Amino acid sequence: MEADELLVLVAGGDQKAFEELYGLVSGPVFGLVRRVVRDPAQSEEVAQEVLLELWRSAARYDPGRGSALAWVLTLAHRRAVDRVRSARAAGERELRVARRANGGPAFDHVAEEVEAGLEREWVRRCLDTLTALQRQSVTLAYYDGYTYREVAERLSLPLGTVKTRMRDGLTRLRECLGGVA
């Protein structure tokens, strides 16, 4: 049975259909979450949350708006991005508390922030040297976490074209960054 059909059955509370759907989507869900979250333990937790949400919200799936797998992966991507943002916000809160406790930022911390800002600006300038198509492919893969195949699908291009674009773009970035990339 296809994921679309299974998801409709899951919306009706069919546990067997959920078991089958789980088998179909758990691998892609974990893979996507892992690319975004990066930490294996956090990725497992987020993937589990997504699959639980899938069971609870299957009735919200609208077959007219896209495939079941795309809908499930959208849920996964949103949840993974939420986790990353939450972790980043928690880290920033801890840093603010530590600053208040220590009477302000240490010199080394300020220097590190300045250096990181300069590096970000350097990378941005180098990205601007790429063609629009190379920049789009590199951005989708490295900043949005898509695989080459997903970039190809998203841009409606052959996989080989995307791989060539990525290779050429990364070569130009490495040259621009002085071989440090």
Side-chain angles (χ1 to χ4, degrees):
M1 214 179 263
E2 296 283 327
D4 298 58
E5 298 167 311
L6 290 170
L7 193 52
V8 170
L9 294 173
V10 169
D14 187 330
Q15 290 181 356
K16 276 287 197 205
F18 181 72
E19 287 178 30
E20 205 171 320
L21 182 62
Y22 182 97
L24 285 173
V25 302
S26 60
V29 164
F30 180 73
L32 173 69
V33 170
R34 180 77 168 88
R35 281 192 304 274
V36 175
V37 176
R38 291 192 167 69
D39 177 74
Q42 292 275 334
S43 297
E44 289 175 6
E45 190 175 309
V46 171
Q48 183 179 7
E49 290 171 5
V50 169
L51 294 166
L52 182 60
E53 182 180 352
L54 175 61
W55 171 254
R56 290 179 178 160
S57 64
R60 290 192 344 233
Y61 168 64
D62 178 6
R65 295 187 65 198
S67 74
L69 183 59
W71 184 74
V72 171
L73 292 177
T74 299
L75 291 177
H77 188 262
R78 286 179 182 158
R79 183 64 66 110
V81 168
D82 287 347
R83 178 61 63 98
V84 169
R85 287 179 180 156
S86 175
R88 186 175 296 142
E92 289 170 2
R93 273 192 306 275
E94 290 174 8
L95 186 57
R96 282 194 303 272
V97 169
R99 282 182 185 159
R100 274 188 240 125
N102 295 331
F107 175 78
D108 288 342
H109 180 70
V110 171
E112 287 176 19
E113 282 185 15
V114 169
E115 189 175 321
L118 291 172
E119 287 173 357
R120 280 191 298 274
E121 182 56 35
W122 190 13
V123 170
R124 268 189 226 110
R125 278 196 311 261
C126 288
L127 278 170
D128 287 341
T129 68
L130 303 180
T131 67
L133 300 173
Q134 288 170 338
R135 186 173 43 258
Q136 186 178 27
S137 297
V138 169
T139 301
L140 285 170
Y142 287 91
Y143 289 103
D144 296 338
Y146 291 104
T147 64
Y148 284 7
R149 184 173 308 286
E150 291 167 336
V151 171
E153 290 170 4
R154 192 166 176 89
L155 299 178
S156 302
L157 293 170
L159 180 59
T161 301
V162 168
K163 286 182 177 181
T164 299
R165 232 184 243 171
M166 294 288 291
R167 184 193 68 231
D168 294 347
L170 291 173
T171 299
R172 287 177 74 176
L173 278 176
R174 185 172 35 254
E175 291 167 359
C176 179
L177 293 169
V180 295

Short mmCIF file of all heavy atoms in Angstrom, two decimals, residues 12 32 37 40 47 51 60 87 91-92 102 104 125 142-143 154 159 165 172-173:
data_model
loop_
_atom_site.label_atom_id
_atom_site.label_comp_id
_atom_site.label_asym_id
_atom_site.label_seq_id
_atom_site.Cartn_x
_atom_site.Cartn_y
_atom_site.Cartn_z
N GLY A 12 -8.09 7.57 10.28
CA GLY A 12 -9.27 6.90 10.84
C GLY A 12 -8.95 6.06 12.06
O GLY A 12 -9.81 5.35 12.57
N LEU A 32 16.32 13.13 7.61
CA LEU A 32 16.12 14.57 7.47
C LEU A 32 16.40 15.28 8.79
O LEU A 32 17.13 16.27 8.84
CB LEU A 32 14.69 14.87 7.02
CG LEU A 32 14.30 16.34 6.99
CD1 LEU A 32 15.06 17.06 5.89
CD2 LEU A 32 12.82 16.50 6.80
N VAL A 37 19.39 18.64 12.78
CA VAL A 37 19.71 18.73 14.20
C VAL A 37 21.17 18.37 14.47
O VAL A 37 21.80 18.92 15.36
CB VAL A 37 18.76 17.83 15.03
CG1 VAL A 37 19.13 17.82 16.50
CG2 VAL A 37 17.32 18.29 14.86
N PRO A 40 22.94 13.02 17.35
CA PRO A 40 22.19 11.77 17.18
C PRO A 40 21.08 11.57 18.22
O PRO A 40 19.97 11.18 17.86
CB PRO A 40 23.26 10.68 17.32
CG PRO A 40 24.56 11.36 17.08
CD PRO A 40 24.38 12.79 17.48
N ALA A 47 12.71 12.80 15.90
CA ALA A 47 12.05 11.86 14.98
C ALA A 47 10.89 11.17 15.68
O ALA A 47 9.80 10.99 15.10
CB ALA A 47 13.06 10.85 14.45
N LEU A 51 6.89 11.31 14.59
CA LEU A 51 6.06 10.14 14.32
C LEU A 51 4.84 10.10 15.25
O LEU A 51 3.76 9.67 14.84
CB LEU A 51 6.90 8.87 14.42
CG LEU A 51 7.96 8.80 13.30
CD1 LEU A 51 8.99 7.74 13.60
CD2 LEU A 51 7.31 8.56 11.95
N ARG A 60 -5.23 15.84 9.46
CA ARG A 60 -4.96 17.14 8.82
C ARG A 60 -4.36 16.98 7.43
O ARG A 60 -4.28 17.96 6.69
CB ARG A 60 -4.01 17.96 9.69
CG ARG A 60 -4.64 18.44 10.97
CD ARG A 60 -3.80 19.49 11.69
NE ARG A 60 -2.43 19.59 11.27
CZ ARG A 60 -1.38 19.52 12.08
NH1 ARG A 60 -1.55 19.34 13.37
NH2 ARG A 60 -0.16 19.63 11.60
N ALA A 87 17.30 25.20 21.00
CA ALA A 87 18.61 24.96 21.61
C ALA A 87 19.47 26.23 21.53
O ALA A 87 20.17 26.58 22.49
CB ALA A 87 19.32 23.80 20.92
N GLY A 91 20.91 28.43 24.70
CA GLY A 91 22.33 28.76 24.83
C GLY A 91 22.54 30.26 25.00
O GLY A 91 23.37 30.70 25.80
N GLU A 92 21.78 31.03 24.22
CA GLU A 92 21.90 32.49 24.33
C GLU A 92 21.41 32.98 25.69
O GLU A 92 22.00 33.90 26.26
CB GLU A 92 21.12 33.16 23.19
CG GLU A 92 21.79 32.98 21.84
CD GLU A 92 20.93 33.43 20.67
OE1 GLU A 92 19.80 33.95 20.90
OE2 GLU A 92 21.38 33.28 19.52
N ASN A 102 28.82 37.62 35.79
CA ASN A 102 30.24 37.98 35.75
C ASN A 102 30.47 39.47 35.54
O ASN A 102 31.60 39.90 35.39
CB ASN A 102 30.96 37.21 34.64
CG ASN A 102 30.97 35.72 34.90
OD1 ASN A 102 30.96 35.30 36.05
ND2 ASN A 102 30.99 34.93 33.85
N GLY A 104 29.51 41.29 32.90
CA GLY A 104 29.67 41.67 31.50
C GLY A 104 30.49 40.65 30.75
O GLY A 104 31.05 39.72 31.32
N ARG A 125 30.50 37.28 1.21
CA ARG A 125 31.12 37.90 0.03
C ARG A 125 31.52 36.84 -0.99
O ARG A 125 31.35 37.03 -2.18
CB ARG A 125 32.33 38.73 0.44
CG ARG A 125 31.97 40.11 0.94
CD ARG A 125 33.17 41.04 0.96
NE ARG A 125 34.35 40.45 1.59
CZ ARG A 125 34.74 40.69 2.83
NH1 ARG A 125 34.05 41.51 3.58
NH2 ARG A 125 35.81 40.12 3.32
N TYR A 142 23.75 23.31 1.89
CA TYR A 142 24.54 23.53 3.10
C TYR A 142 23.86 24.36 4.17
O TYR A 142 24.18 24.23 5.34
CB TYR A 142 25.90 24.14 2.72
CG TYR A 142 26.77 23.10 2.08
CD1 TYR A 142 26.76 22.92 0.70
CD2 TYR A 142 27.52 22.23 2.84
CE1 TYR A 142 27.51 21.92 0.11
CE2 TYR A 142 28.28 21.24 2.26
CZ TYR A 142 28.26 21.09 0.89
OH TYR A 142 28.99 20.09 0.32
N TYR A 143 22.94 25.21 3.79
CA TYR A 143 22.26 26.01 4.80
C TYR A 143 20.88 25.46 5.14
O TYR A 143 20.40 25.63 6.25
CB TYR A 143 22.14 27.48 4.37
CG TYR A 143 23.47 28.18 4.38
CD1 TYR A 143 24.17 28.42 3.21
CD2 TYR A 143 24.04 28.59 5.57
CE1 TYR A 143 25.39 29.06 3.22
CE2 TYR A 143 25.27 29.23 5.60
CZ TYR A 143 25.95 29.45 4.42
OH TYR A 143 27.16 30.08 4.44
N ARG A 154 13.85 19.84 -5.93
CA ARG A 154 13.33 21.17 -5.59
C ARG A 154 13.52 22.15 -6.74
O ARG A 154 12.67 23.01 -6.97
CB ARG A 154 14.05 21.66 -4.34
CG ARG A 154 13.44 22.86 -3.72
CD ARG A 154 14.01 23.07 -2.33
NE ARG A 154 13.51 24.26 -1.73
CZ ARG A 154 12.41 24.34 -1.01
NH1 ARG A 154 11.71 23.28 -0.79
NH2 ARG A 154 12.02 25.48 -0.49
N LEU A 159 19.87 15.34 -11.53
CA LEU A 159 20.80 15.20 -10.42
C LEU A 159 22.23 15.52 -10.85
O LEU A 159 22.96 16.20 -10.13
CB LEU A 159 20.73 13.77 -9.85
CG LEU A 159 21.64 13.46 -8.68
CD1 LEU A 159 21.35 14.39 -7.50
CD2 LEU A 159 21.46 12.01 -8.24
N ARG A 165 26.95 21.70 -10.62
CA ARG A 165 26.80 23.05 -10.09
C ARG A 165 27.43 23.16 -8.70
O ARG A 165 28.11 24.13 -8.39
CB ARG A 165 25.31 23.34 -9.96
CG ARG A 165 24.92 24.60 -10.61
CD ARG A 165 23.48 24.85 -10.36
NE ARG A 165 22.81 24.85 -11.64
CZ ARG A 165 21.51 24.87 -11.76
NH1 ARG A 165 20.74 24.86 -10.71
NH2 ARG A 165 20.96 24.89 -12.95
N ARG A 172 34.84 27.26 -6.42
CA ARG A 172 34.99 28.72 -6.42
C ARG A 172 35.01 29.27 -4.98
O ARG A 172 35.76 30.19 -4.68
CB ARG A 172 33.85 29.37 -7.22
CG ARG A 172 34.03 29.17 -8.71
CD ARG A 172 32.91 29.74 -9.50
NE ARG A 172 32.99 31.20 -9.55
CZ ARG A 172 32.15 31.96 -10.26
NH1 ARG A 172 31.17 31.38 -10.92
NH2 ARG A 172 32.27 33.25 -10.26
N LEU A 173 34.18 28.70 -4.11
CA LEU A 173 34.20 29.14 -2.71
C LEU A 173 35.55 28.87 -2.07
O LEU A 173 36.09 29.72 -1.36
CB LEU A 173 33.10 28.42 -1.91
CG LEU A 173 31.69 28.98 -2.01
CD1 LEU A 173 30.72 28.11 -1.24
CD2 LEU A 173 31.65 30.41 -1.50
#
